[in-house]
Amino acid sequence: MTSATVSTGRSAGNRRPARSARSGQPLTRVSGLGLGVAMLWFSLLVLIPLAAVVAAASADGLGAFWDAVTNEQTFASIRLTVGIAFLVTVVNVVMGTLIAWVLVRDNFFGKRVLEILIDIPFALPTIVAGLVLLSLYGPTSPLGVNIANTRIAVFLAFLFVTLPFVVRTVQPVLAELDREAEEAAASLGASRFTIFWKIILPSLTPAITAGAALSFARGVSEYGSLVLLSGNLPMRTEVTSVRILSSIENDNLESAAAVATVLLVISFAVIVVLDVIQRRTVRRG
């Protein structure tokens, strides 16, 4: 009995370092090949094109780059695009989380129809979305509301195309949350706000920030839904995507690349800030 116990203890003790040793082993040939293919594919689709854009933006030197992005019309389009994309992201964080909550926690007539309608901006071509919005909120609006060629039109178009992102990132996480922790907190006298703030929100923060990043990036890059509705008026409703296209049509690739690089830097900064907010919220929770 004793010897059997000792030998069993030794064999059990020997298994742990074996598992840790396996976890620290280098990649196998198959895993290494898979990683190489993934990095090659990622480089071809993302890294190399981005590097080419940055290189094109700096081809004529920093002076030309600065002049391109500080041009009055270009800077106005950047300010308009980033500002409205930020506002739309804030709205989507609140409303997207609320819609996801309703879809997960409530049962009501027409729920399946609402689930389908939320995904329409994903499936609908953006130029068709622009036509739909123009029909509803243009000069011939059946609702009597004409916001065409205004900044409100830009805001509305951004809202339409970015609606699903926060909803679809938060919804599956919310559906998988353990309700027992909420019930335990409620039994101890915690208010609904405290339960949401201390228990639910920290779990949802990674999904909310991911949806917010997608929403902001989608808004900054939007083009199709704005072409018909916003009017693309310089200094008023012209967004950066239209400004970039105008530079390309005028054979000014360096200016177009400079604006694209600025948007790239802004989007990267937003992603970093959202990641910091996410980490602090999770740590606090």
Side-chain angles (χ1 to χ4, degrees):
M1 291 285 295
T2 305
S3 61
T5 304
V6 172
S7 62
T8 304
R10 286 177 180 173
S11 61
N14 290 335
R15 287 195 197 103
R16 290 181 188 136
R19 281 197 296 268
S20 62
R22 281 197 297 270
S23 63
Q25 286 179 354
L27 293 174
T28 63
R29 291 184 179 181
V30 176
S31 299
L33 179 61
L35 177 61
V37 171
M39 290 304 299
L40 176 62
W41 186 252
F42 180 74
S43 299
L44 291 174
L45 291 181
V46 180
L47 295 182
I48 295 177
L50 291 181
V53 170
V54 175
S58 58
D60 294 336
L62 293 179
F65 175 87
W66 181 254
D67 292 338
V69 298
T70 56
N71 175 276
E72 186 177 7
Q73 185 175 344
T74 301
F75 187 74
S77 68
I78 294 175
R79 184 172 61 246
L80 174 67
T81 304
V82 175
I84 292 185
F86 175 78
L87 291 177
V88 166
T89 300
V90 173
V91 173
N92 282 333
V93 165
V94 177
M95 296 305 300
T97 304
L98 177 61
I99 294 173
W101 182 279
V102 170
L103 291 176
V104 172
R105 296 296 176 93
D106 298 326
N107 290 314
F108 52 90
F109 178 77
K111 180 178 178 180
R112 298 291 297 175
V113 176
L114 182 58
E115 288 269 12
I116 296 174
L117 291 177
I118 289 174
D119 290 330
I120 286 181
F122 279 150
L124 198 66
T126 54
I127 189 65
V128 178
L131 181 60
V132 171
L133 294 175
L134 181 64
S135 300
L136 287 176
Y137 305 108
T140 60
S141 170
L143 305 176
V145 179
N146 182 12
I147 60 171
N149 304 332
T150 65
R151 293 188 175 184
I152 298 177
V154 179
F155 183 80
L156 181 62
F158 279 14
L159 275 178
F160 182 85
V161 299
T162 60
L163 168 66
F165 288 105
V166 175
V167 177
R168 290 314 188 197
T169 54
V170 172
Q171 187 177 356
V173 178
L174 184 60
E176 293 297 326
L177 286 184
D178 187 4
R179 301 288 293 272
E180 292 183 359
E182 300 175 41
E183 295 171 356
S187 66
L188 294 174
S191 64
R192 291 185 177 181
F193 177 79
T194 301
I195 294 173
F196 177 80
W197 188 255
K198 293 293 186 179
I199 298 176
I200 300 176
L201 184 59
S203 300
L204 296 182
T205 298
I208 293 175
T209 54
L214 292 173
S215 175
F216 181 84
R218 184 70 175 86
V220 166
S221 62
E222 179 53 24
Y223 173 78
S225 63
L226 296 168
V227 174
L228 301 176
L229 188 63
S230 69
N232 307 319
L233 303 177
M235 309 295 297
R236 290 179 57 190
T237 62
E238 184 183 44
V239 295
T240 51
S241 57
V242 175
R243 187 63 179 159
I244 290 173
L245 179 61
S246 300
S247 298
I248 294 175
E249 290 177 343
N250 293 326
D251 200 24
N252 191 354
L253 297 179
E254 292 76 14
S255 178
V259 177
T261 301
V262 170
L263 293 182
L264 174 64
V265 173
I266 293 174
S267 298
F268 181 77
V270 168
I271 292 174
V272 171
V273 170
L274 289 175
D275 183 69
V276 172
I277 294 174
Q278 167 194 330
R279 293 176 184 274
R280 289 185 176 180
T281 303
V282 172
R283 189 181 304 117
R284 182 194 62 199

